[in-house]
Amino acid sequence: MSFGTRSLPPLGAPPVRSLLRSPKGLATALTVLLGVCAATRTLMLAAGLNRYEALGGAVDPEPSWRLFSMAMSLALLVMVPTAVVFIVWFHRVRVNAGVFAPELFRRGAGWAIGIWFVPFVGWTVLAHGIATRVWTASAPKPPRGVGASVSPVPVTAWSGAFGAAMLLSLASNRIGDKALTEAGLRDAVLVGMASDLVYAVAAGLAVVFVRRLSAMQSRA
């Protein structure tokens, strides 16, 4: 009995297109988690205001401190799974983008995970660089002579707000560590409130970025 070769699978590496996976499921999970993150940061903002008043003698400091500690614990509890899902999503969209436009990337897709182990610079500058290239690779290509593709404003808005929130948080910690008076502690709390507000805004901008990029890749 003889066998033809037409039914045999091709040898070698699988087609590059087989690397594509829709990020919409991860995007949906991220939308929920980022919404909860925004809610916990709003709670921290309210707790910070209460703490600010307590340091000024307007309210009882003990319940104020308990509220502030609870809000902080909730924010940290939600932040961990959100960060994990975001990194998984970020790696997925980077792999897809490498199929769409491999010429835009000098480093492998694993770098989309590695940068999150580089404090601050990795979370802002390096993440923005990768996200911008992924956005460019995923955006529908306009006909020749029509003009620019989809604007990358959502990428810049998200990364800029996230970076600003981290800087405000660092400033709040520095001011609090050096504070020798209640006035100094109130300044630290005030800057921390600004950080929580910007974090909440950054979470909302992240939802826009995640959903729009995921939609572009799902249509590809």
Side-chain angles (χ1 to χ4, degrees):
M1 181 180 295
S2 62
F3 296 90
T5 58
R6 290 185 181 180
S7 62
L8 296 177
L11 298 177
V16 176
R17 298 288 297 184
S18 69
L19 296 174
L20 290 175
R21 298 287 187 279
S22 173
K24 291 190 74 172
L26 289 168
T28 300
L30 265 181
T31 299
V32 174
L33 288 169
L34 287 167
V36 177
C37 277
T40 58
R41 286 294 174 174
T42 303
L43 178 61
M44 279 199 68
L45 179 61
L49 178 59
N50 189 262
R51 184 66 180 157
Y52 183 83
E53 293 177 345
L55 288 169
V59 297
D60 188 351
E62 189 61 31
S64 170
W65 177 249
R66 286 200 299 268
L67 175 62
F68 188 79
S69 299
M70 181 194 70
M72 183 178 294
S73 297
L74 284 174
L76 292 174
L77 184 64
V78 174
M79 183 180 68
V80 173
T82 304
V84 171
V85 177
F86 185 90
I87 292 171
V88 173
W89 171 85
F90 197 71
H91 178 258
R92 169 41 51 198
V93 295
R94 165 60 184 87
V95 171
N96 289 345
V99 175
F100 300 146
E103 69 279 2
L104 292 178
F105 303 95
R106 291 179 297 173
R107 298 183 176 89
W111 192 240
I113 297 175
I115 60 168
W116 302 104
F117 295 93
V118 182
F120 194 75
V121 174
W123 306 341
T124 53
V125 177
L126 299 180
H128 178 265
I130 292 177
T132 300
R133 290 179 175 85
V134 169
W135 184 277
T136 301
S138 307
K141 303 303 181 286
R144 186 173 298 178
V146 170
S149 186
V150 181
S151 171
V153 167
V155 182
T156 304
W158 155 69
S159 60
F162 186 49
M166 283 192 290
L167 285 175
L168 286 169
S169 181
L170 288 172
S172 175
N173 291 335
R174 289 282 182 88
I175 295 171
D177 290 341
K178 295 181 179 180
L180 300 176
T181 62
E182 283 193 355
L185 291 174
R186 294 186 87 199
D187 289 342
V189 171
L190 197 61
V191 176
M193 289 168 58
S195 172
D196 292 326
L197 176 60
V198 180
Y199 265 125
V201 171
L205 293 171
V207 169
V208 175
F209 163 55
V210 167
R211 294 194 70 83
R212 289 191 62 183
L213 178 55
S214 297
M216 287 193 297
Q217 290 201 348
S218 296
R219 287 196 298 266

PDB file of all heavy atoms in Angstrom, residues 7-41:
ATOM      1  N   SER A   7      -1.767  14.601   2.368  1.00  0.00           N
ATOM      2  CA  SER A   7      -2.455  14.657   3.659  1.00  0.00           C
ATOM      3  C   SER A   7      -1.511  14.866   4.838  1.00  0.00           C
ATOM      4  O   SER A   7      -1.940  15.024   5.959  1.00  0.00           O
ATOM      5  CB  SER A   7      -3.257  13.370   3.875  1.00  0.00           C
ATOM      6  OG  SER A   7      -2.379  12.259   3.900  1.00  0.00           O
ATOM      7  N   LEU A   8      -0.219  14.800   4.570  1.00  0.00           N
ATOM      8  CA  LEU A   8       0.734  14.972   5.662  1.00  0.00           C
ATOM      9  C   LEU A   8       0.865  16.443   6.037  1.00  0.00           C
ATOM     10  O   LEU A   8       0.847  17.316   5.175  1.00  0.00           O
ATOM     11  CB  LEU A   8       2.116  14.440   5.236  1.00  0.00           C
ATOM     12  CG  LEU A   8       2.190  12.935   4.958  1.00  0.00           C
ATOM     13  CD1 LEU A   8       3.586  12.572   4.467  1.00  0.00           C
ATOM     14  CD2 LEU A   8       1.839  12.145   6.211  1.00  0.00           C
ATOM     15  N   PRO A   9       1.010  16.765   7.338  1.00  0.00           N
ATOM     16  CA  PRO A   9       1.183  18.160   7.744  1.00  0.00           C
ATOM     17  C   PRO A   9       2.526  18.685   7.287  1.00  0.00           C
ATOM     18  O   PRO A   9       3.488  17.926   7.132  1.00  0.00           O
ATOM     19  CB  PRO A   9       1.111  18.078   9.284  1.00  0.00           C
ATOM     20  CG  PRO A   9       1.529  16.689   9.610  1.00  0.00           C
ATOM     21  CD  PRO A   9       1.036  15.836   8.469  1.00  0.00           C
ATOM     22  N   PRO A  10       2.643  19.968   7.029  1.00  0.00           N
ATOM     23  CA  PRO A  10       3.919  20.537   6.587  1.00  0.00           C
ATOM     24  C   PRO A  10       4.977  20.440   7.673  1.00  0.00           C
ATOM     25  O   PRO A  10       4.683  20.522   8.871  1.00  0.00           O
ATOM     26  CB  PRO A  10       3.561  22.006   6.300  1.00  0.00           C
ATOM     27  CG  PRO A  10       2.347  22.269   7.127  1.00  0.00           C
ATOM     28  CD  PRO A  10       1.587  20.982   7.157  1.00  0.00           C
ATOM     29  N   LEU A  11       6.203  20.226   7.256  1.00  0.00           N
ATOM     30  CA  LEU A  11       7.314  20.137   8.197  1.00  0.00           C
ATOM     31  C   LEU A  11       7.785  21.528   8.596  1.00  0.00           C
ATOM     32  O   LEU A  11       7.530  22.501   7.915  1.00  0.00           O
ATOM     33  CB  LEU A  11       8.467  19.363   7.548  1.00  0.00           C
ATOM     34  CG  LEU A  11       8.161  17.911   7.153  1.00  0.00           C
ATOM     35  CD1 LEU A  11       9.376  17.308   6.456  1.00  0.00           C
ATOM     36  CD2 LEU A  11       7.769  17.084   8.369  1.00  0.00           C
ATOM     37  N   GLY A  12       8.513  21.585   9.717  1.00  0.00           N
ATOM     38  CA  GLY A  12       9.084  22.847  10.149  1.00  0.00           C
ATOM     39  C   GLY A  12       8.182  23.602  11.106  1.00  0.00           C
ATOM     40  O   GLY A  12       7.225  23.054  11.661  1.00  0.00           O
ATOM     41  N   ALA A  13       8.480  24.864  11.282  1.00  0.00           N
ATOM     42  CA  ALA A  13       7.740  25.702  12.230  1.00  0.00           C
ATOM     43  C   ALA A  13       6.321  25.940  11.747  1.00  0.00           C
ATOM     44  O   ALA A  13       6.058  25.940  10.551  1.00  0.00           O
ATOM     45  CB  ALA A  13       8.460  27.045  12.406  1.00  0.00           C
ATOM     46  N   PRO A  14       5.364  26.140  12.677  1.00  0.00           N
ATOM     47  CA  PRO A  14       3.993  26.432  12.275  1.00  0.00           C
ATOM     48  C   PRO A  14       3.915  27.797  11.601  1.00  0.00           C
ATOM     49  O   PRO A  14       4.802  28.640  11.782  1.00  0.00           O
ATOM     50  CB  PRO A  14       3.233  26.443  13.612  1.00  0.00           C
ATOM     51  CG  PRO A  14       4.265  26.756  14.637  1.00  0.00           C
ATOM     52  CD  PRO A  14       5.534  26.126  14.134  1.00  0.00           C
ATOM     53  N   PRO A  15       2.894  28.030  10.797  1.00  0.00           N
ATOM     54  CA  PRO A  15       2.759  29.333  10.153  1.00  0.00           C
ATOM     55  C   PRO A  15       2.739  30.455  11.179  1.00  0.00           C
ATOM     56  O   PRO A  15       2.216  30.298  12.284  1.00  0.00           O
ATOM     57  CB  PRO A  15       1.402  29.224   9.427  1.00  0.00           C
ATOM     58  CG  PRO A  15       1.166  27.757   9.269  1.00  0.00           C
ATOM     59  CD  PRO A  15       1.808  27.105  10.445  1.00  0.00           C
ATOM     60  N   VAL A  16       3.299  31.592  10.797  1.00  0.00           N
ATOM     61  CA  VAL A  16       3.370  32.723  11.721  1.00  0.00           C
ATOM     62  C   VAL A  16       1.981  33.161  12.172  1.00  0.00           C
ATOM     63  O   VAL A  16       1.779  33.532  13.319  1.00  0.00           O
ATOM     64  CB  VAL A  16       4.111  33.902  11.050  1.00  0.00           C
ATOM     65  CG1 VAL A  16       4.110  35.120  11.966  1.00  0.00           C
ATOM     66  CG2 VAL A  16       5.542  33.504  10.726  1.00  0.00           C
ATOM     67  N   ARG A  17       0.990  33.077  11.297  1.00  0.00           N
ATOM     68  CA  ARG A  17      -0.356  33.501  11.649  1.00  0.00           C
ATOM     69  C   ARG A  17      -0.924  32.689  12.795  1.00  0.00           C
ATOM     70  O   ARG A  17      -1.849  33.127  13.483  1.00  0.00           O
ATOM     71  CB  ARG A  17      -1.284  33.381  10.435  1.00  0.00           C
ATOM     72  CG  ARG A  17      -0.911  34.252   9.251  1.00  0.00           C
ATOM     73  CD  ARG A  17      -1.165  35.717   9.477  1.00  0.00           C
ATOM     74  NE  ARG A  17      -2.567  36.030   9.682  1.00  0.00           N
ATOM     75  CZ  ARG A  17      -3.018  37.267   9.822  1.00  0.00           C
ATOM     76  NH1 ARG A  17      -2.178  38.283   9.808  1.00  0.00           N
ATOM     77  NH2 ARG A  17      -4.295  37.485  10.012  1.00  0.00           N
ATOM     78  N   SER A  18      -0.397  31.477  13.040  1.00  0.00           N
ATOM     79  CA  SER A  18      -0.911  30.646  14.121  1.00  0.00           C
ATOM     80  C   SER A  18      -0.599  31.239  15.494  1.00  0.00           C
ATOM     81  O   SER A  18      -1.154  30.809  16.500  1.00  0.00           O
ATOM     82  CB  SER A  18      -0.331  29.232  14.029  1.00  0.00           C
ATOM     83  OG  SER A  18       1.059  29.234  14.320  1.00  0.00           O
ATOM     84  N   LEU A  19       0.313  32.209  15.545  1.00  0.00           N
ATOM     85  CA  LEU A  19       0.636  32.858  16.813  1.00  0.00           C
ATOM     86  C   LEU A  19      -0.450  33.837  17.249  1.00  0.00           C
ATOM     87  O   LEU A  19      -0.473  34.272  18.388  1.00  0.00           O
ATOM     88  CB  LEU A  19       1.968  33.605  16.690  1.00  0.00           C
ATOM     89  CG  LEU A  19       3.214  32.749  16.434  1.00  0.00           C
ATOM     90  CD1 LEU A  19       4.418  33.648  16.197  1.00  0.00           C
ATOM     91  CD2 LEU A  19       3.471  31.800  17.589  1.00  0.00           C
ATOM     92  N   LEU A  20      -1.332  34.205  16.346  1.00  0.00           N
ATOM     93  CA  LEU A  20      -2.366  35.194  16.661  1.00  0.00           C
ATOM     94  C   LEU A  20      -3.416  34.620  17.608  1.00  0.00           C
ATOM     95  O   LEU A  20      -3.895  33.506  17.422  1.00  0.00           O
ATOM     96  CB  LEU A  20      -3.053  35.677  15.385  1.00  0.00           C
ATOM     97  CG  LEU A  20      -2.225  36.559  14.447  1.00  0.00           C
ATOM     98  CD1 LEU A  20      -3.015  36.835  13.177  1.00  0.00           C
ATOM     99  CD2 LEU A  20      -1.855  37.868  15.135  1.00  0.00           C
ATOM    100  N   ARG A  21      -3.753  35.403  18.628  1.00  0.00           N
ATOM    101  CA  ARG A  21      -4.829  35.072  19.546  1.00  0.00           C
ATOM    102  C   ARG A  21      -5.600  36.348  19.839  1.00  0.00           C
ATOM    103  O   ARG A  21      -4.995  37.407  20.047  1.00  0.00           O
ATOM    104  CB  ARG A  21      -4.296  34.492  20.857  1.00  0.00           C
ATOM    105  CG  ARG A  21      -3.531  33.197  20.740  1.00  0.00           C
ATOM    106  CD  ARG A  21      -4.455  32.014  20.434  1.00  0.00           C
ATOM    107  NE  ARG A  21      -3.719  30.761  20.481  1.00  0.00           N
ATOM    108  CZ  ARG A  21      -2.966  30.287  19.493  1.00  0.00           C
ATOM    109  NH1 ARG A  21      -2.851  30.980  18.359  1.00  0.00           N
ATOM    110  NH2 ARG A  21      -2.336  29.140  19.617  1.00  0.00           N
ATOM    111  N   SER A  22      -6.912  36.257  19.891  1.00  0.00           N
ATOM    112  CA  SER A  22      -7.707  37.442  20.217  1.00  0.00           C
ATOM    113  C   SER A  22      -7.489  37.834  21.677  1.00  0.00           C
ATOM    114  O   SER A  22      -7.574  36.985  22.574  1.00  0.00           O
ATOM    115  CB  SER A  22      -9.191  37.169  19.974  1.00  0.00           C
ATOM    116  OG  SER A  22      -9.964  38.256  20.443  1.00  0.00           O
ATOM    117  N   PRO A  23      -7.231  39.125  21.953  1.00  0.00           N
ATOM    118  CA  PRO A  23      -7.047  39.577  23.337  1.00  0.00           C
ATOM    119  C   PRO A  23      -8.346  40.040  23.993  1.00  0.00           C
ATOM    120  O   PRO A  23      -8.312  40.591  25.091  1.00  0.00           O
ATOM    121  CB  PRO A  23      -6.078  40.761  23.172  1.00  0.00           C
ATOM    122  CG  PRO A  23      -6.456  41.346  21.847  1.00  0.00           C
ATOM    123  CD  PRO A  23      -6.917  40.196  20.979  1.00  0.00           C
ATOM    124  N   LYS A  24      -9.500  39.810  23.351  1.00  0.00           N
ATOM    125  CA  LYS A  24     -10.749  40.377  23.852  1.00  0.00           C
ATOM    126  C   LYS A  24     -11.154  39.806  25.207  1.00  0.00           C
ATOM    127  O   LYS A  24     -11.697  40.522  26.052  1.00  0.00           O
ATOM    128  CB  LYS A  24     -11.872  40.164  22.832  1.00  0.00           C
ATOM    129  CG  LYS A  24     -11.697  40.987  21.567  1.00  0.00           C
ATOM    130  CD  LYS A  24     -12.913  40.945  20.679  1.00  0.00           C
ATOM    131  CE  LYS A  24     -14.046  41.788  21.240  1.00  0.00           C
ATOM    132  NZ  LYS A  24     -15.179  41.901  20.297  1.00  0.00           N
ATOM    133  N   GLY A  25     -10.915  38.512  25.448  1.00  0.00           N
ATOM    134  CA  GLY A  25     -11.244  37.934  26.751  1.00  0.00           C
ATOM    135  C   GLY A  25     -10.448  38.576  27.871  1.00  0.00           C
ATOM    136  O   GLY A  25     -10.998  38.939  28.923  1.00  0.00           O
ATOM    137  N   LEU A  26      -9.145  38.725  27.646  1.00  0.00           N
ATOM    138  CA  LEU A  26      -8.290  39.392  28.637  1.00  0.00           C
ATOM    139  C   LEU A  26      -8.703  40.847  28.805  1.00  0.00           C
ATOM    140  O   LEU A  26      -8.678  41.395  29.917  1.00  0.00           O
ATOM    141  CB  LEU A  26      -6.825  39.308  28.203  1.00  0.00           C
ATOM    142  CG  LEU A  26      -6.177  37.922  28.284  1.00  0.00           C
ATOM    143  CD1 LEU A  26      -4.835  37.929  27.561  1.00  0.00           C
ATOM    144  CD2 LEU A  26      -5.986  37.511  29.735  1.00  0.00           C
ATOM    145  N   ALA A  27      -9.091  41.496  27.705  1.00  0.00           N
ATOM    146  CA  ALA A  27      -9.509  42.898  27.773  1.00  0.00           C
ATOM    147  C   ALA A  27     -10.770  43.059  28.621  1.00  0.00           C
ATOM    148  O   ALA A  27     -10.902  44.022  29.380  1.00  0.00           O
ATOM    149  CB  ALA A  27      -9.749  43.443  26.365  1.00  0.00           C
ATOM    150  N   THR A  28     -11.687  42.112  28.512  1.00  0.00           N
ATOM    151  CA  THR A  28     -12.901  42.168  29.324  1.00  0.00           C
ATOM    152  C   THR A  28     -12.580  42.030  30.808  1.00  0.00           C
ATOM    153  O   THR A  28     -13.098  42.775  31.645  1.00  0.00           O
ATOM    154  CB  THR A  28     -13.874  41.045  28.896  1.00  0.00           C
ATOM    155  OG1 THR A  28     -14.226  41.225  27.515  1.00  0.00           O
ATOM    156  CG2 THR A  28     -15.132  41.068  29.745  1.00  0.00           C
ATOM    157  N   ALA A  29     -11.705  41.068  31.130  1.00  0.00           N
ATOM    158  CA  ALA A  29     -11.297  40.895  32.526  1.00  0.00           C
ATOM    159  C   ALA A  29     -10.593  42.145  33.042  1.00  0.00           C
ATOM    160  O   ALA A  29     -10.829  42.587  34.185  1.00  0.00           O
ATOM    161  CB  ALA A  29     -10.379  39.682  32.655  1.00  0.00           C
ATOM    162  N   LEU A  30      -9.742  42.728  32.199  1.00  0.00           N
ATOM    163  CA  LEU A  30      -9.034  43.945  32.605  1.00  0.00           C
ATOM    164  C   LEU A  30      -9.980  45.118  32.820  1.00  0.00           C
ATOM    165  O   LEU A  30      -9.782  45.928  33.733  1.00  0.00           O
ATOM    166  CB  LEU A  30      -8.003  44.325  31.533  1.00  0.00           C
ATOM    167  CG  LEU A  30      -6.572  43.850  31.740  1.00  0.00           C
ATOM    168  CD1 LEU A  30      -5.689  44.332  30.599  1.00  0.00           C
ATOM    169  CD2 LEU A  30      -6.029  44.350  33.072  1.00  0.00           C
ATOM    170  N   THR A  31     -10.998  45.215  31.994  1.00  0.00           N
ATOM    171  CA  THR A  31     -11.965  46.299  32.152  1.00  0.00           C
ATOM    172  C   THR A  31     -12.606  46.248  33.529  1.00  0.00           C
ATOM    173  O   THR A  31     -12.753  47.275  34.209  1.00  0.00           O
ATOM    174  CB  THR A  31     -13.052  46.212  31.062  1.00  0.00           C
ATOM    175  OG1 THR A  31     -12.443  46.348  29.779  1.00  0.00           O
ATOM    176  CG2 THR A  31     -14.094  47.303  31.239  1.00  0.00           C
ATOM    177  N   VAL A  32     -12.979  45.049  33.956  1.00  0.00           N
ATOM    178  CA  VAL A  32     -13.587  44.883  35.285  1.00  0.00           C
ATOM    179  C   VAL A  32     -12.584  45.226  36.380  1.00  0.00           C
ATOM    180  O   VAL A  32     -12.878  45.989  37.308  1.00  0.00           O
ATOM    181  CB  VAL A  32     -14.108  43.446  35.457  1.00  0.00           C
ATOM    182  CG1 VAL A  32     -14.614  43.230  36.879  1.00  0.00           C
ATOM    183  CG2 VAL A  32     -15.220  43.151  34.454  1.00  0.00           C
ATOM    184  N   LEU A  33     -11.379  44.663  36.270  1.00  0.00           N
ATOM    185  CA  LEU A  33     -10.360  44.882  37.306  1.00  0.00           C
ATOM    186  C   LEU A  33      -9.943  46.351  37.393  1.00  0.00           C
ATOM    187  O   LEU A  33      -9.767  46.891  38.497  1.00  0.00           O
ATOM    188  CB  LEU A  33      -9.144  44.006  37.028  1.00  0.00           C
ATOM    189  CG  LEU A  33      -9.332  42.510  37.279  1.00  0.00           C
ATOM    190  CD1 LEU A  33      -8.159  41.717  36.714  1.00  0.00           C
ATOM    191  CD2 LEU A  33      -9.476  42.239  38.780  1.00  0.00           C
ATOM    192  N   LEU A  34      -9.778  46.992  36.248  1.00  0.00           N
ATOM    193  CA  LEU A  34      -9.394  48.410  36.260  1.00  0.00           C
ATOM    194  C   LEU A  34     -10.512  49.278  36.832  1.00  0.00           C
ATOM    195  O   LEU A  34     -10.252  50.272  37.500  1.00  0.00           O
ATOM    196  CB  LEU A  34      -9.037  48.861  34.843  1.00  0.00           C
ATOM    197  CG  LEU A  34      -7.700  48.332  34.304  1.00  0.00           C
ATOM    198  CD1 LEU A  34      -7.595  48.557  32.797  1.00  0.00           C
ATOM    199  CD2 LEU A  34      -6.533  49.008  35.017  1.00  0.00           C
ATOM    200  N   GLY A  35     -11.761  48.883  36.575  1.00  0.00           N
ATOM    201  CA  GLY A  35     -12.871  49.604  37.177  1.00  0.00           C
ATOM    202  C   GLY A  35     -12.862  49.501  38.689  1.00  0.00           C
ATOM    203  O   GLY A  35     -13.107  50.488  39.401  1.00  0.00           O
ATOM    204  N   VAL A  36     -12.548  48.303  39.191  1.00  0.00           N
ATOM    205  CA  VAL A  36     -12.450  48.115  40.643  1.00  0.00           C
ATOM    206  C   VAL A  36     -11.269  48.907  41.193  1.00  0.00           C
ATOM    207  O   VAL A  36     -11.341  49.492  42.279  1.00  0.00           O
ATOM    208  CB  VAL A  36     -12.324  46.619  40.995  1.00  0.00           C
ATOM    209  CG1 VAL A  36     -12.146  46.429  42.494  1.00  0.00           C
ATOM    210  CG2 VAL A  36     -13.554  45.855  40.521  1.00  0.00           C
ATOM    211  N   CYS A  37     -10.166  48.941  40.450  1.00  0.00           N
ATOM    212  CA  CYS A  37      -8.999  49.735  40.865  1.00  0.00           C
ATOM    213  C   CYS A  37      -9.370  51.213  40.998  1.00  0.00           C
ATOM    214  O   CYS A  37      -8.991  51.877  41.968  1.00  0.00           O
ATOM    215  CB  CYS A  37      -7.867  49.592  39.849  1.00  0.00           C
ATOM    216  SG  CYS A  37      -6.858  48.125  40.062  1.00  0.00           S
ATOM    217  N   ALA A  38     -10.098  51.723  40.018  1.00  0.00           N
ATOM    218  CA  ALA A  38     -10.526  53.119  40.074  1.00  0.00           C
ATOM    219  C   ALA A  38     -11.412  53.364  41.292  1.00  0.00           C
ATOM    220  O   ALA A  38     -11.301  54.399  41.964  1.00  0.00           O
ATOM    221  CB  ALA A  38     -11.265  53.489  38.790  1.00  0.00           C
ATOM    222  N   ALA A  39     -12.285  52.391  41.605  1.00  0.00           N
ATOM    223  CA  ALA A  39     -13.177  52.527  42.762  1.00  0.00           C
ATOM    224  C   ALA A  39     -12.387  52.542  44.076  1.00  0.00           C
ATOM    225  O   ALA A  39     -12.670  53.349  44.975  1.00  0.00           O
ATOM    226  CB  ALA A  39     -14.199  51.396  42.770  1.00  0.00           C
ATOM    227  N   THR A  40     -11.382  51.663  44.189  1.00  0.00           N
ATOM    228  CA  THR A  40     -10.596  51.628  45.426  1.00  0.00           C
ATOM    229  C   THR A  40      -9.753  52.885  45.581  1.00  0.00           C
ATOM    230  O   THR A  40      -9.546  53.369  46.705  1.00  0.00           O
ATOM    231  CB  THR A  40      -9.687  50.389  45.471  1.00  0.00           C
ATOM    232  OG1 THR A  40      -8.817  50.379  44.324  1.00  0.00           O
ATOM    233  CG2 THR A  40     -10.508  49.115  45.485  1.00  0.00           C
ATOM    234  N   ARG A  41      -9.289  53.438  44.468  1.00  0.00           N
ATOM    235  CA  ARG A  41      -8.524  54.687  44.553  1.00  0.00           C
ATOM    236  C   ARG A  41      -9.429  55.854  44.938  1.00  0.00           C
ATOM    237  O   ARG A  41      -9.012  56.779  45.641  1.00  0.00           O
ATOM    238  CB  ARG A  41      -7.833  54.980  43.215  1.00  0.00           C
ATOM    239  CG  ARG A  41      -6.646  54.091  42.950  1.00  0.00           C
ATOM    240  CD  ARG A  41      -5.520  54.348  43.932  1.00  0.00           C
ATOM    241  NE  ARG A  41      -4.428  53.402  43.776  1.00  0.00           N
ATOM    242  CZ  ARG A  41      -3.274  53.484  44.431  1.00  0.00           C
ATOM    243  NH1 ARG A  41      -3.061  54.487  45.277  1.00  0.00           N
ATOM    244  NH2 ARG A  41      -2.332  52.587  44.256  1.00  0.00           N
TER     245      ARG A  41
END
